[in-house]
Structures are given as structure tokens and as C-alpha cells.
């Protein structure tokens, strides 16, 4: 019985990781655009001579076009390797953890109904758990995404050359614990993202199944994933901005609160929503791609829908 449970856990982990890999590869250019936008406006002491009034790009489209023009089209996928590695670890962990909490610990009803508050608890816990494990890959991804800007625009020497070098560079300079630099805002953001994503998707899907004539098919999955992407982007963007800035310049801030206060004091409260549009523009297709692929894979392999 225990072996069966372990096998089921591993099976769901692999299925969700596969779906996440597809979604991450398709939508990754929006992620690097979001990361670059979030760094804009950071105080001058953190990013050489670049200041809030002297930044290379403004806005989502101009940022993406600028990356292509000055760094090359391929740089829109700079950092995609650790990003995929991150989702293999993160998505696999969060999805299986959420289902375990929902089905075995908090025990949803047989008809699929699940208390909203239980779903919030499960979503935030699963997200925090998955992100803590995957935090090192996220740190490497952020640093690699900023290399094109550092080398080609700011004229600095490259920090890393590839994923392996990035991991080794962090370990050599800061030890193994250095791989978890910025883990606190990372975990906070993941808890919020999954409260928006997992909780919203699960809740909306079963509301539609229980209170409308819609079936458990791509129409229901599309509506549910659209709601999930919008809510997740809105509630998580401030934490994402803080996380990105700490990971890009780990020696500058004393912690999440210090970074939060610096951004609000020096750039205004709305600076916490820098990158919201590409965040939502990415989360919407990411969520759509992931959930459609994941539900389809579950269907093809004979598993019940999520």
C-alpha cells in the first residue's frame, strides 16, 4: 500500500513536471522581459550608473525589442535551462504536495467540493514547500537573465557562462547556503502565487462543474486557468519585485522588508507593480498551457482530472 502511494506520488510528479516544461519553454521570453522591468529604477548604487532617470528601456514591448536589438533574439531565452530545472523541481513538488494535502490531509468531499479556506492553506503550503526546494535554481535563473544587460549594455565582465558555472560560482563564493540567498521573499512569493493559481483553478473548476452544465473538458480548464493566471499575477507581483531585486543584488538589502521599503520610498508604491503586465501576460498563457497539457496528460494516462 505504501509502495503504491509512493509510485502514485512519483507518477504525478513526473506528469506535472512534463507539463511545466512545455509551458515554461513557450512563455519564457515574457519572463525575462518581466525580470528586466523589475530591475529598472533600482537605486544607482546597486546597478552601476543606471538610474531611475537613465534606464535603457521603458515598458514591456520596448524592453523585449531592446533585448532582441542589443543582445540578439536568442537572449530572450537566456536562463531557460535553470528555469526548466526549477519547474521540474518546483512544479512537481507543489502539485503533488497540494493534491496530497487536499486528498489525504484536509480531505475534500467526494463530489469534488473543497472549502475555500482549506484550498488557500493547501495552495500556500504547497507553493512555499516547492519553492524552498527549488530556490537555488531560481537564483541562478535570475542571475543568468541579467547577464546580457550587464555585459552588452553596462559593459561589465560576465558573472556566469552557463548553468553549471553559475551554481559553482555561487557555491565557491558563498558556500552551499548561498544557493538559498533570497529564499524568504522567494517562498513568500510562491505562497501567494499558488494561493492565486492552485486555489483559484481548483475552486473555479469545481464551481463550474457543480453549478453549470459545463463538463470536465478544455472549456472548463481554459476558463479556470484564465482566472488563476489573473489572480496569481495580481497578488504576487510585489513579492516578485522584491525577490528579483534581492537575488540580483544580494549584498545591498538587509532583507525583504528593507527592499520593500527602499522601493516604496525611492520609487513610489506603484514600483512594486513593475512588470505586472508581462507577469500577467506570461502567467495567463503559462497557466493556460500548463493546465490544458496537464489535464490532457492525466486524461490520456487514465487518471482522474485535477
Amino acid at each position: 500500500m505504501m509502495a503504491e502511494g509512493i509510485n502514485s506520488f512519483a507518477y504525478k510528479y513526473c506528469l506535472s513536471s512534463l507539463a511545466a516544461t512545455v509551458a515554461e519553454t513557450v512563455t519564457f521570453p515574457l519572463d525575462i522581459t518581466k525580470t528586466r522591468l523589475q530591475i529598472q529604477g533600482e537605486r544607482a548604487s546597486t546597478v552601476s550608473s543606471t538610474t531611475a532617470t537613465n534606464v535603457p528601456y521603458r515598458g514591456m514591448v520596448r524592453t523585449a525589442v531592446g533585448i532582441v536589438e542589443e543582445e540578439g533574439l536568442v537572449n530572450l531565452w537566456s536562463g531557460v535551462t535553470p528555469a526548466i530545472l526549477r519547474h521540474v523541481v518546483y512544479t512537481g513538488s507543489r502539485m503533488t504536495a497540494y493534491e496530497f494535502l487536499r486528498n489525504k490531509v484536509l480531505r475534500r468531499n467526494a463530489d469534488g467540493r473543497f472549502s475555500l479556506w482549506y484550498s488557500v492553506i493547501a495552495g500556500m503550503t504547497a507553493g512555499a514547500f516547492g519553492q524552498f526546494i527549488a530556490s537555488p535554481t531560481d537564483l541562478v535563473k535570475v542571475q543568468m537573465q541579467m547577464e546580457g544587460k550587464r555585459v552588452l549594455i553596462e559593459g561589465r565582465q560576465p558573472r556566469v557562462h552557463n548553468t553549471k558555472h553559475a551554481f559553482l560560482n555561487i557555491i565557491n563564493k558563498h558556500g552551499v547556503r548561498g544557493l538559498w540567498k533570497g529564499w524568504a521573499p522567494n517562498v513568500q512569493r510562491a505562497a501567494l502565487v499558488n494561493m492565486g493559481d492552485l486555489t483559484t483553478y481548483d475552486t473555479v473548476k469545481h464551481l463550474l462543474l457543480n453549478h453549470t452544465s459545463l463538463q470536465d473538458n478544455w472549456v472548463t480548464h481554459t476558463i479556470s486557468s484564465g482566472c488563476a493566471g489573473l489572480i496569481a499575477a495580481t497578488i504576487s507581483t510585489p513579492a516578485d519585485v522584491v525577490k528579483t531585486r534581492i537575488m540580483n543584488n544580494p549584498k545591498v538589502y538587509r532583507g525583504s522588508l528593507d527592499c520593500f521599503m527602499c522601493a516604496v520610498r525611492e520609487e513610489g508604491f506603484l514600483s512594486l507593480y513593475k512588470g505586472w503586465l508581462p507577469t500577467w501576460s506570461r502567467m495567463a498563457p503559462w497557466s493556460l498551457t500548463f493546465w490544458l497539457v496537464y489535464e490532457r496528460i492525466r486524461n490520456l494516462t487514465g487518471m482522474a482530472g485535477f
Side-chain angles (χ1 to χ4, degrees), residues 59-303:
M60 175 182 167
V61 175
R62 289 182 61 192
T63 297
V65 172
I67 293 173
V68 174
E69 289 180 345
E70 301 192 31
E71 304 171 39
L73 180 64
V74 71
N75 257 42
L76 286 174
W77 279 269
S78 180
V80 71
T81 301
I84 290 175
L85 178 60
R86 169 186 178 267
H87 270 288
V88 167
V89 178
Y90 166 65
T91 301
S93 298
R94 75 182 180 106
M95 295 298 293
T96 48
Y98 181 85
E99 282 204 80
F100 175 77
L101 290 170
R102 184 186 66 179
N103 299 341
K104 303 295 184 181
V105 179
L106 300 174
R107 298 184 180 279
R108 70 173 177 179
N109 297 333
D111 62 359
R113 288 182 298 167
F114 191 45
S115 165
L116 176 61
W117 291 111
Y118 277 1
S119 185
V120 167
I121 292 171
M124 294 186 73
T125 302
F129 168 72
Q131 187 56 64
F132 179 77
I133 296 175
S135 193
T137 59
D138 209 22
L139 175 60
V140 169
K141 182 199 75 169
V142 169
Q143 292 192 357
M144 290 185 69
Q145 284 180 327
M146 294 308 298
E147 281 306 287
K149 181 183 179 216
R150 284 171 51 85
V151 176
L152 298 176
I153 297 176
E154 296 176 5
R156 299 203 243 174
Q157 293 298 313
R159 290 180 295 190
V160 297
H161 303 292
N162 52 50
T163 303
K164 179 181 178 181
H165 180 250
F167 276 110
L168 293 176
N169 187 50
I170 294 171
I171 293 173
N172 289 336
K173 289 184 177 180
H174 307 290
V176 174
R177 291 181 62 182
L179 290 171
W180 271 267
K181 186 68 178 179
W183 72 267
N186 220 0
V187 167
Q188 292 161 8
R189 172 190 175 273
L192 293 172
V193 167
N194 284 276
M195 181 176 70
D197 183 34
L198 289 175
T199 300
T200 302
Y201 181 86
D202 197 15
T203 302
V204 171
K205 175 182 174 180
H206 287 95
L207 281 175
L208 291 174
L209 293 177
N210 292 328
H211 298 287
T212 73
S213 60
L214 292 175
Q215 302 299 310
D216 192 356
N217 55 30
W218 68 271
V219 176
T220 301
H221 304 159
T222 298
I223 297 172
S224 302
S225 64
C227 295
L230 178 61
I231 298 299
T234 301
I235 67 177
S236 69
T237 295
D240 196 30
V241 170
V242 170
K243 181 262 307 185
T244 298
R245 292 189 174 194
I246 289 178
M247 286 188 160
N248 187 54
N249 288 289
K251 296 180 180 180
V252 172
Y253 303 107
R254 294 189 297 273
S256 302
L257 182 60
D258 179 47
C259 183
F260 178 94
M261 294 306 296
C262 284
V264 173
R265 182 172 59 250
E266 298 175 13
E267 304 167 53
F269 180 77
L270 290 180
S271 67
L272 296 172
Y273 279 88
K274 283 189 173 182
W276 179 87
L277 181 58
T279 295
W280 175 73
S281 297
R282 179 173 187 264
M283 277 191 174
W286 196 99
S287 183
L288 176 65
T289 304
F290 171 77
W291 286 111
L292 287 179
V293 171
Y294 185 51
E295 292 274 24
R296 183 58 178 165
I297 291 175
R298 290 176 69 109
N299 179 263
L300 291 174
T301 54
M303 294 180 63

